[in-house]
Amino acid sequence: MDSIKYIRLSSTARIPKTTTTNLITPNNQNDSWWTQIFDPGGRFISRWNHMFLITCLMALFVDPLYFLVPEISKEKYCMRSDYGFAAIITVWRSMIDVISFIHIFIKFRTAYIAPSSRVFGKGDLVMDPRKIALRYLRTGFSVDLAAALPLPQLFIWFVIPAVRSPTAAHANHSISLVIIVQYIPRLFVIFPLNQRITKTTGVIAKTAWAGAAYYIMLYMLASHVIGASWYLLAIERQYSCWKEECGKEKNLSTPCNRVYFDCDHVDEPGRDAWLEQTQVLGNCGAETSPINFTFGMYGPAFTEGVTSATFFEKYFFCFWFGLKSLSSYGQNLETSTSMGETLFGCTVCLGGLVIFCLLIGNMQTYLQSTTARLEEWRVRRRDTEEWMRHRQLPPDLQDKIRRFVQYKWLATRGVDEEDILRALPLDLRRQIQRHLCLALVRRVPFFSQMDDEKLLHVICEHLVQSLSTKGQYLVREGDPVNEMTFVIRGQLESSTTNGGRSGFYNSITLKAGDFCGEELLTWVLTPDSNVNLPSSTRTVKALNEVEAFALRAEDLRFVAKQFKKLHSKKLQHAFRYYSHQWRTWGACYVQAAWRTHKQKKLAEELTMKEALFQNYYGIDGGGEDDQNVQHLGATILASRFAANTKKGLNHKEAVVGSGSPALIQMPKLSKPDEPDFS
């Protein structure tokens, strides 16, 4: 306990970066949530940044919807505002503003890394609330506050109604000015936030398709802004025509008044009389092709009835106009000589070019990441085909190579697992190998007999994946054994000719859970094993696609040297029972013993029959000559056969008694070497 020290965190204490650290308490762990200091690299800040990024995108989408509030009434020939729709937008934007103020509070409680401490590693976290607040007030507080203020709500519900003589044009100018002014700080908020998320987590989206969808959404957002702005400018263009034509009608009995164009003043005295005399509505109708006024790019808003349509019809037409204009870089726009219209067309053209290039570049980056492995595999397959044609390999060998390349792609999808594991720390590699291989190792009956968990974990760390296609030879009889193979899926054929002996052939099928290459285990456990690897006594061939894991010779030697607890009788019996070499030798030994037993039994039966015939002949030979003649031939043949059988049996007994090696050759198969488990 003397080595344990309790240290109180100072304002510049070095805190290691972890993914689970969310809150840092400068004083004690019993403080309330309002006094907590957040770790900028913690999970909470990371999730909050992602959520606030979505909120900022929603804010950028909601603000241009105010441009769709004004509309033109065809029945009354005036402009008005859709206050019901404006109320919905106000509620939506107010919720976003509340989240923005919460974000400001969180930034007041988020620690930062002292620039002077960035010498090596992460640096020191400054957790003093006063220093955090002063730094935030000097850097980004003004921008965040400007973006969070509810200016459009205040103007549309309080400022504009307070004006003595409001007009539709005055309201449109006020809303557009406020939204455009506040749109700039909102953009200044979202771009640093995007960079902060990329710096903390590495990417905006975890998957390639999500990243592509993110940039498509930004492109659609730009189309939405262009379409809403075009609609508001079309309303302004209509009002400009009315105002211009209204100034020409001063000599009428009922002169034109600009108030007549506001739907809130349709009951003004003299408006009906003015409607009967005026030419303003006819000269400013886009459907009638006015001579003195050109609507330019805003003509479709009136010819298609967009300005008086329902909200969804209005919104989708404006969105389509913005998307079409950005995609064609403004080439579909037919502008007039108006300077504002020309500048808007130039803005659409340049913005479409920049945004479209940004979309294509990022989309290509994200989508290429999804097909990079596939394209790499195609290139490798093409190179393999060219190499096989250049070397003029036989067709059957080319087919085998193609099947293996195809099967490896289906099994791994082109991912080099060993390369990924080598880049990880040792402890993580061990945990991953245990997760991937421990259950498979326990499925092998030979390993399931081991009670030492540490030994199984070490074996898992040294296992490598092995893939084989149909007809592929893992090892041939007489070749050196490099690894032990444990079958997970598929079937292997293991055959032997006992060193090429004529007339001898043995074959068995290895299935999931079986293993081959136990000669390597015998060689490793032998104390006086030489440097050369053992020779295989069998030929192992894949009957179909086989997935297995292998334990290499050097890794097996390392395991055998590290763990000396391999002297268990249970493990020794398990090795004999599950080894196909021992099972083959045991089967041959049983067969040979059974054949010997059958031969000995037949010889004994013939000897007994011969004795019975001789006794029968000795008893009845003196009295009946006809009966002796009848059994004479059979007796002679039986005597000769029994004599030959007894002669061979006596010869075998003589060989056994003399210690000749003929008894060792009885199974017709040499006994496998047994590993030294001691």
Side-chain angles (χ1 to χ4, degrees):
M1 295 297 295
D2 295 338
S3 61
I4 301 177
K5 297 181 180 179
Y6 296 93
I7 303 176
R8 181 179 179 181
L9 297 177
S10 63
S11 61
T12 58
R14 184 181 297 271
I15 302 296
K17 181 178 179 180
T18 61
T19 58
T20 58
T21 303
N22 298 330
L23 303 176
I24 304 173
T25 307
N27 296 323
N28 55 68
Q29 296 294 335
N30 297 324
D31 292 343
S32 63
W33 187 84
W34 298 95
T35 60
Q36 300 291 339
I37 300 298
F38 298 96
D39 183 7
R43 183 181 302 174
F44 173 77
I45 295 298
S46 177
R47 292 181 177 178
W48 173 259
N49 288 336
H50 279 87
M51 189 187 74
F52 188 68
L53 177 63
I54 298 175
T55 304
C56 292
L57 294 175
M58 292 176 60
L60 295 178
F61 174 80
V62 169
D63 285 351
L65 291 178
Y66 279 106
F67 294 165
L68 303 180
V69 170
E71 58 184 6
I72 297 177
S73 175
K74 285 185 176 181
E75 294 81 6
K76 299 180 180 180
Y77 304 103
C78 59
M79 294 183 183
R80 63 188 178 187
S81 298
D82 189 354
Y83 289 103
F85 176 61
I88 298 176
I89 303 175
T90 301
V91 173
W92 198 353
R93 196 185 193 280
S94 299
M95 296 173 60
I96 295 174
D97 292 339
V98 170
I99 297 177
S100 300
F101 280 106
I102 295 176
H103 179 70
I104 293 175
F105 168 75
I106 291 178
K107 292 191 71 173
F108 270 113
R109 311 302 300 177
T110 303
Y112 68 94
I113 299 175
S116 59
S117 64
R118 291 180 179 177
V119 179
F120 179 77
K122 178 186 176 183
D124 295 333
L125 287 178
V126 178
M127 297 175 293
D128 188 0
R130 184 174 177 274
K131 293 183 178 180
I132 295 173
L134 291 176
R135 179 179 180 271
Y136 180 48
L137 290 174
R138 289 194 307 266
T139 55
F141 173 73
S142 58
V143 177
D144 292 341
L145 182 61
L149 290 176
L151 298 181
Q153 298 96 304
L154 295 176
F155 266 80
I156 196 172
W157 295 106
F158 298 101
V159 177
I160 295 176
V163 179
R164 292 182 179 180
S165 300
T167 60
H170 179 73
N172 295 341
H173 285 300
S174 302
I175 296 175
S176 59
L177 180 62
V178 169
I179 292 177
I180 290 174
V181 169
Q182 199 174 24
Y183 218 73
I184 297 175
R186 287 189 181 273
L187 291 176
F188 276 99
V189 168
I190 194 172
F191 288 124
L193 181 63
N194 196 338
Q195 296 178 358
R196 196 178 306 117
I197 293 175
T198 305
K199 183 179 180 180
T200 304
T201 61
V203 291
I204 291 293
K206 295 183 179 180
T207 61
W209 288 107
Y214 172 73
Y215 284 98
I216 290 179
M217 184 179 62
L218 292 181
Y219 190 78
M220 295 174 65
L221 178 62
S223 303
H224 164 68
V225 174
I226 294 296
S229 302
W230 169 79
Y231 175 82
L232 183 64
L233 292 175
I235 297 291
E236 294 291 336
R237 191 67 169 166
Q238 179 70 73
Y239 183 77
S240 299
C241 180
W242 286 349
K243 183 174 64 174
E244 181 179 340
E245 294 295 327
C246 183
K248 300 177 182 179
E249 295 184 349
K250 296 181 180 180
N251 299 326
L252 296 178
S253 60
T254 305
C256 179
N257 190 352
R258 296 180 185 178
V259 180
Y260 293 158
F261 302 120
D262 192 349
C263 290
D264 294 336
H265 299 79
V266 293
D267 297 332
E268 288 287 332
R271 188 177 188 276
D272 295 336
W274 169 77
L275 288 176
E276 295 177 357
Q277 301 175 11
T278 184
Q279 299 294 327
V280 173
L281 302 179
N283 294 336
C284 293
E287 300 87 350
T288 60
S289 300
I291 299 175
N292 299 327
F293 195 87
T294 305
F295 285 92
M297 71 172 70
Y298 309 116
F302 307 104
T303 58
E304 302 297 335
V306 180
T307 56
S308 58
T310 61
F311 167 73
F312 289 103
E313 294 176 350
K314 182 194 311 182
Y315 169 74
F316 284 111
F317 187 90
C318 295
F319 175 77
W320 159 244
F321 180 86
L323 184 62
K324 179 175 62 174
S325 301
L326 284 180
S327 301
S328 61
Y329 312 129
Q331 297 180 9
N332 63 321
L333 302 178
E334 297 180 1
T335 61
S336 63
T337 57
S338 174
M339 185 177 64
E341 187 176 351
T342 305
L343 292 177
F344 180 74
C346 295
T347 304
V348 172
C349 181
L350 295 176
L353 180 63
V354 174
I355 296 175
F356 193 77
C357 292
L358 180 66
L359 172 67
I360 294 300
N362 288 280
M363 285 284 291
Q364 183 180 8
T365 301
Y366 276 99
L367 294 181
Q368 277 184 349
S369 63
T370 61
T371 58
R373 295 292 181 184
L374 181 60
E375 187 63 27
E376 182 181 353
W377 173 72
R378 288 176 180 174
V379 172
R380 186 176 301 176
R381 186 174 182 178
R382 183 193 61 190
D383 295 342
T384 304
E385 293 288 342
E386 293 179 356
W387 174 77
M388 291 189 297
R389 286 194 299 268
H390 176 69
R391 293 300 180 182
Q392 298 181 358
L393 298 181
D396 56 341
L397 187 56
Q398 292 185 17
D399 292 338
K400 292 180 180 179
I401 295 175
R402 293 189 189 100
R403 285 199 303 268
F404 177 77
V405 173
Q406 180 71 20
Y407 179 63
K408 186 175 181 180
W409 164 258
L410 294 176
T412 63
R413 289 295 176 182
V415 178
D416 190 356
E417 296 182 356
E418 295 186 3
D419 187 28
I420 295 176
L421 291 175
R422 281 195 297 268
L424 297 176
L426 179 60
D427 183 61
L428 286 180
R429 289 203 303 266
R430 289 175 176 175
Q431 295 181 20
I432 293 172
Q433 286 291 99
R434 292 170 192 171
H435 171 72
L436 296 176
C437 301
L438 186 58
L440 299 176
V441 167
R442 294 185 184 277
R443 287 171 50 185
V444 179
F446 176 65
F447 287 147
S448 64
Q449 304 295 328
M450 297 182 181
D451 299 331
D452 194 347
E453 291 290 333
K454 189 179 296 185
L455 175 60
L456 293 179
H457 291 168
V458 173
I459 292 175
C460 290
E461 294 173 12
H462 293 85
L463 292 178
V464 294
Q465 188 180 21
S466 176
L467 302 175
S468 304
T469 56
K470 182 179 179 180
Q472 181 180 347
Y473 287 90
L474 275 71
V475 66
R476 297 179 184 268
E477 188 174 355
D479 292 346
V481 182
N482 297 314
E483 59 188 19
M484 287 186 69
T485 304
F486 303 91
V487 182
I488 301 175
R489 299 180 186 90
Q491 294 181 349
L492 297 174
E493 180 188 17
S494 177
S495 59
T496 181
T497 59
N498 196 17
R501 194 178 71 187
S502 60
F504 184 89
Y505 180 80
N506 173 260
S507 176
I508 60 175
T509 302
L510 304 179
K511 301 180 181 179
D514 295 333
F515 60 92
C516 61
E518 60 267 29
E519 299 94 344
L520 195 63
L521 181 62
T522 305
W523 172 75
V524 166
L525 294 179
T526 302
D528 55 348
S529 60
N530 52 13
V531 180
N532 298 327
L533 294 174
S535 299
S536 176
T537 59
R538 306 183 72 87
T539 299
V540 182
K541 177 182 178 181
L543 298 178
N544 47 28
E545 280 71 19
V546 176
E547 184 176 354
F549 54 84
L551 192 59
R552 296 169 181 170
E554 57 272 14
D555 297 331
L556 188 59
R557 180 185 288 273
F558 171 78
V559 173
K561 288 183 178 180
Q562 292 295 324
F563 295 90
K564 302 299 183 179
K565 298 180 180 180
L566 298 177
H567 59 277
S568 171
K569 288 293 183 181
K570 185 178 181 180
L571 185 61
Q572 182 177 359
H573 293 161
F575 174 77
R576 290 181 178 179
Y577 180 78
Y578 292 108
S579 171
H580 56 272
Q581 293 190 23
W582 277 86
R583 285 182 291 180
T584 302
W585 177 81
C588 293
Y589 189 89
V590 171
Q591 291 175 2
W594 176 252
R595 286 194 297 268
T596 303
H597 172 70
K598 294 291 289 183
Q599 291 178 0
K600 184 182 296 186
K601 185 176 180 181
L602 179 60
E604 292 177 355
E605 291 179 354
L606 293 177
T607 303
M608 292 177 61
K609 289 183 179 180
E610 181 183 6
L612 291 175
F613 278 117
Q614 290 177 356
N615 293 335
Y616 179 79
Y617 178 77
I619 295 174
D620 299 334
E624 298 179 359
D625 295 337
D626 295 339
Q627 191 175 4
N628 293 337
V629 174
Q630 182 178 1
H631 296 285
L632 180 60
T635 303
I636 293 174
L637 292 176
S639 300
R640 291 179 179 178
F641 184 77
N644 292 334
T645 303
K646 184 180 295 186
K647 181 178 180 181
L649 184 61
N650 293 334
H651 176 70
K652 289 182 180 179
E653 293 177 354
V655 169
V656 172
S658 61
S660 174
L663 183 62
I664 302 177
Q665 299 177 358
M666 179 184 63
K668 304 299 182 182
L669 184 68
S670 59
K671 183 179 180 180
D673 296 333
E674 184 174 355
D676 186 7
F677 286 93
S678 61

